[in-house]
Amino acid sequence: MTTTQAATFAPGSRIVVRDEEWLIRSVKTGTADGTMVKAVGVSEFVQDVEATFFTKLEDITPLVPEETDLIQDTSSRFRQSRLFLEAVLRRTPLPRTERGLALADRFLLDPLTYQQRPVELALSGLRPRILLADVVGLGKTLEIGLILAELIRRGRGERILVVSPQQVLEQFQRELWTRFAIPLVRLDSTGIQRIQQEIPAGRNPFTYFKRAIISVDTLKDAGQFGHHLDATTWDAVVIDESHNLINKGTQRNELARRLAAKTDALLLASATPHNGDKESFAQLISLLDPAAIANEKDYQASDIAHLYLRRTKISPEVRDQIGDRWADRGPSEALHCTATPIEEQIFDELTDVWLAGKWTDEPITGQHRLFPYTLLKSFLSSHRALHETVTNRRKKATGTERVALDRLAELTSAMTDSDSSKLKGLVDELKKIGVGKNSSTRAVVFSERVPTIKWLAEVVPGMLGLKPTAIRVLHGGVADKDEQTILQEFELAGSDVRLLFTGDVASEGVNLHQQCHHLIHYDIPWSLIRIEQRNGRIDRYGQKHQPQFRALILTSDREDAKDDRTVAEKLLNREETAHRSLGSVEAVTGQYDAKAEEDRLVRDLLAGKSVDESYEAAHAEVDVMADLFADVGTAPVAADVPQAKVPKLFDSTQDFVDAALYEIYEDRPEDHIDLRREDELMTFLAPDDLVHRLTDLPRTYLRAHREGEDLRLKVTFDRALAQRKLDQARQSKTPMWPDIAFLSDVHPMVDWLVDKVLIRLGRQQAPVLTADVTAPTFLIQGVYANRLGQPTVVQWMAISGLPASPTIRAMDEVLREANVGPTMVNRAEAIAIDPLKDLLPEAVEVARQYLEGKRAEWAEANAEPLQRHRQQLKTFQQASILDELPGAHREKRRQRVDTTVQEQNDLLDRLETAGDPLLRVLAVLVPSQGSAA
């Protein structure tokens, strides 16, 4: 089949394959077997069957518009025709030239403009490939959900892969379902077992599950998943916490490059999007647009402004919109804990022996210089942490070092819980804020050291009178399934959990703010970045109470001891100051990677600098990244995000759903699916073909909706009710999702109804109905597509005045003027169909000539951004010629550049409008006999 023929396939149209009729869901060209057409069965023997066809392997016949069979609509109020037209409008993807948002206010969230900006940016580019670099807490998950929903509406979000840290899998999956009604199958350890049970051995799991979420650590295993990833293409890939991908040569970086090459849309999200190195950041950007940066060592913000967005809480648009949805943070309070006698002995030992360099007779160089600070940080966490560090080191120590370690081991072994001033300080403070028996107050306690976390979880509950069920412990050694359960339980108002002891495994991406606004740093990371990340767990969008931060500061009477006042307290104050004045710490760190920041600080301390001197020197350095991020998101923005103009026949999705259910079940859905209504709640028994569309959801969620062998769905269009149910789910004692789902426009039920309505008409049939028109009016859809099968032009035409003086008008205008709507009355007048059939070929030809006459104009509009990108490719290629690299390296780079340019030009070729237009006769409006008379 030729390219021209292939381009006539478009989502929403019908084809005949193997003598059965199918409805096209999506089209993709350029595969080894020709154009790939995904479809759902329409005719009797294949009804609701999903199938994939290839033009080189099957005889795929598009239906010819001139052969459309016109059928008089006898349904009440012409319901069948109105539903059919609405379903075609909903099933037809928006053209690539439509940049406005189609679903901005259709979901269970506050419609905030600043959260819609990333959607605007994603839709404005050649492909939806952007970096969401908003600081902690602004709602990147919601921004991602909005983008994915818009891609689904455009027919470019059928296959979605989300890659995230293990601990946020369930949270991300739940947010996308409860807020947007986008189901993802969760491939954690339980999900992987499910794969092994349900699909044949060796089958690619990513073709079996079209929308999935999986952890980066699971997926990076190239041996297990690499060949499956190489054989899979995606419409959209999301990589959360994408700063973990930066280091070239790592498994995570290799994973990102594999996925970037296999997807149309690529969404990277990170509050710390780079490590301060301009070249490594350029490599991250190259995942989004390989030709954006010609010289990785020398590029400007303007080169990449189309690829990322960076806002803070004090950015004007954010500040103006969050209102009371995000309570202002309280002060970071330092709680001084005076060292006990035995703790002073340990300070003496660390100061006189280790920090003084007397712990070894060998020259102290390289990493050996850092070890005394490792001991110091362990002790400032807890004596338990110090004891474990000493024990591990003693296994390979000899001589003077062994003697020094033995002394520390002796001191830490002698120290009891009652000798820990920070432990006493923690318990006193928890009591002060109200954590205890018969209290609902919650707090999260952070520590860098696993021994400290485990120890606190053992001793604190008894000191507060709390039962073991009131404590949860989370660190890197906890199994993935347990991680997610722990975090869910802490978020549930009805659970018994009051204290979460956790490490920095919970400092990225995790929501802890729903029932908690108290955070205590048992020890302080020597990194402003990490402190900010921790604080962001409770200081984030949706926090209703003022976030309260406290840090336990161990103090020594010894003047030259490096206690917590030396580093920790100063960092605590610096983070607070930076947050209040700048919205983020990045501008004062001089680093963008927590480990690099800490390593630099330790080196400066070894060199005799104070914390203040270290950060002042870092801030004074020329920050190569500052210009790239300085004004992103704070520059003037348009007042409103553009909205797409989408024709519709129903005032709301609710009206469409109601009418569709009564049409499909012949006015008796109560009998067929046990439909029940109670105020704004609608429940019914889901048919098997709808249940099949929900199988990506967790088994526990589906089991909770079972009635015997049936699945009873509970849905609502009422935001207030859906939000109450979401809030109630958070009040429960055990992890659960809301039992009532919000019916967004991309909910599988709405998608299912659209398909059911479309197949109500027989093969290539179009309804005829009487309306307020003066002459027969043919409603025809015209679509031009690119070589990927994506619409570049969609025209909805109403053609009248045949045969003498044909007139073409916009279909939605004509429908409004003709009063096509729920108030229509179908008087079942006899309609002469044969004269309409005689006019049909002329109507199609008029539409075809109109489309061909406008083709050059539309093609130019579609090609304009493609031409800009071609010019960018020339600049990119020319810059490589000027590279001052050694000969062999220069040649290697040129080869990479040439390959990139070739691949990008091939993509641009496929994005250009190609082939003949697809024409489809949708309906015919005729005047009633009374008006004709």
Side-chain angles (χ1 to χ4, degrees), residues 319-608:
R319 184 190 60 228
D320 293 345
Q321 292 180 30
I322 56 177
D324 60 357
R325 300 178 182 94
W326 189 347
D328 287 335
R329 64 184 275 177
S332 293
E333 186 178 353
L335 306 174
H336 284 201
C337 305
T338 304
T340 61
I342 195 168
E343 287 176 326
E344 288 287 19
Q345 290 182 54
I346 296 175
F347 269 125
D348 288 340
E349 190 70 17
L350 291 171
T351 303
D352 295 336
V353 176
W354 292 90
L355 295 174
K358 298 179 180 178
W359 55 279
T360 177
D361 295 328
E362 302 293 328
I364 302 175
T365 58
Q367 292 298 315
H368 291 293
R369 300 172 68 238
L370 302 179
F371 184 63
Y373 278 91
T374 300
L375 293 174
L376 175 64
K377 287 201 67 185
S378 295
F379 174 54
L380 293 175
S381 178
S382 71
H383 63 290
R384 293 289 190 96
L386 176 58
H387 187 78
E388 180 171 287
T389 302
V390 168
T391 300
N392 291 335
R393 183 78 173 195
R394 288 171 76 198
K395 295 174 183 176
K396 54 185 179 182
T398 59
T400 304
E401 181 183 348
R402 177 57 185 253
V403 173
L405 288 169
D406 288 345
R407 175 59 180 158
L408 281 179
E410 180 184 336
L411 289 170
T412 54
S413 298
M415 186 171 166
T416 66
D417 295 344
S418 61
D419 292 318
S420 172
S421 61
K422 286 176 73 170
L423 175 61
K424 180 180 182 302
L426 173 65
V427 173
D428 289 346
E429 193 61 25
L430 289 172
K431 288 178 179 178
K432 180 179 175 182
I433 64 178
V435 177
K437 191 175 181 181
N438 301 323
S439 170
S440 61
T441 303
R442 300 188 186 199
V444 55
V445 180
F446 270 97
S447 171
E448 286 194 294
R449 308 288 169 150
V450 174
T452 302
I453 295 169
K454 291 180 176 179
W455 167 61
L456 292 175
E458 291 171 4
V459 301
V460 170
M463 301 171 77
L464 292 173
L466 293 174
K467 297 179 180 179
T469 55
I471 306 298
R472 291 294 182 273
V473 181
L474 181 61
H475 51 75
V478 175
D480 60 0
K481 182 181 177 183
D482 294 335
E483 274 187 0
Q484 295 167 66
T485 300
I486 289 166
L487 293 169
Q488 286 182 74
E489 289 173 338
F490 188 71
E491 287 281 85
L492 297 176
S495 77
D496 295 332
V497 181
R498 294 296 176 265
L499 275 178
L500 172 64
F501 293 102
T502 185
D504 288 325
V505 67
S507 68
E508 290 186 355
V510 173
N511 294 336
L512 299 177
H513 66 294
Q514 292 293 344
Q515 313 299 335
C516 174
H517 61 281
H518 294 288
L519 185 150
I520 298 177
H521 299 280
Y522 193 79
D523 51 46
I524 287 281
W526 286 11
S527 160
L528 297 179
I529 294 171
R530 188 66 75 194
I531 297 171
E532 180 179 67
Q533 288 173 332
R534 282 185 179 184
N535 289 349
R537 299 312 101 215
I538 65 167
D539 183 18
R540 57 196 304 107
Y541 177 76
Q543 174 60 268
K544 298 175 182 177
H545 305 281
Q546 185 183 65
Q548 302 283 330
F549 304 106
R550 297 166 180 82
L552 298 165
I553 303 297
L554 183 61
T555 66
S556 170
D557 288 338
R558 178 167 174 158
E559 191 172 326
D560 60 344
K562 292 191 182 297
D563 61 15
D564 272 324
R565 291 172 297 188
T566 307
V567 176
E569 187 170 7
K570 287 182 171 60
L571 293 182
L572 187 73
N573 294 333
R574 277 184 170 272
E575 189 277 339
E576 180 180 20
T577 301
H579 187 88
R580 293 190 187 284
S581 61
L582 303 171
S584 175
V585 301
E586 67 175 23
V588 298
T589 60
Q591 290 282 351
Y592 299 86
D593 175 85
K595 186 178 185 307
E597 180 191 358
E598 181 175 339
D599 288 348
R600 185 204 61 211
L601 177 57
V602 172
R603 287 195 301 270
D604 286 348
L605 293 173
L606 282 167

Side-chain angles (χ1 to χ4, degrees), residues 42-100:
V42 173
S43 52
E44 181 180 358
F45 292 108
V46 294
Q47 190 166 355
D48 297 327
V49 173
E50 295 182 352
T52 301
F53 303 114
F54 294 88
T55 53
K56 289 185 179 179
L57 306 179
E58 300 278 0
D59 183 11
I60 303 176
T61 306
L63 299 182
V64 179
E66 288 87 346
E67 297 175 359
T68 302
D69 190 12
L70 303 181
I71 303 296
Q72 182 173 347
D73 183 358
T74 59
S75 65
S76 174
R77 301 185 185 279
F78 298 108
R79 184 176 64 197
Q80 184 180 36
S81 295
R82 292 186 293 110
L83 282 168
F84 173 72
L85 289 170
E86 177 74 10
V88 172
L89 290 166
R90 287 174 173 268
R91 178 60 68 222
T92 302
L94 301 184
R96 286 183 59 91
T97 47
E98 176 57 80
R99 309 292 189 183

Side-chain angles (χ1 to χ4, degrees), residues 600-650:
R600 185 204 61 211
L601 177 57
V602 172
R603 287 195 301 270
D604 286 348
L605 293 173
L606 282 167
K609 291 183 181 179
S610 68
V611 170
D612 291 338
E613 289 169 338
S614 176
Y615 277 95
E616 285 164 8
H619 187 49
E621 292 175 1
V622 176
D623 183 359
V624 295
M625 303 301 291
D627 289 341
L628 294 175
F629 280 83
D631 295 323
V632 178
T634 61
V637 292
D640 298 306
V641 174
Q643 304 296 305
K645 183 182 178 183
V646 183
K648 62 180 182 179
L649 273 79
F650 287 78

Side-chain angles (χ1 to χ4, degrees), residues 720-734:
L721 174 59
Q723 187 62 54
R724 279 201 308 275
K725 288 298 180 180
L726 181 57
D727 294 339
Q728 287 175 15
R730 291 173 177 153
Q731 302 292 320
S732 64
K733 294 183 69 68
T734 56

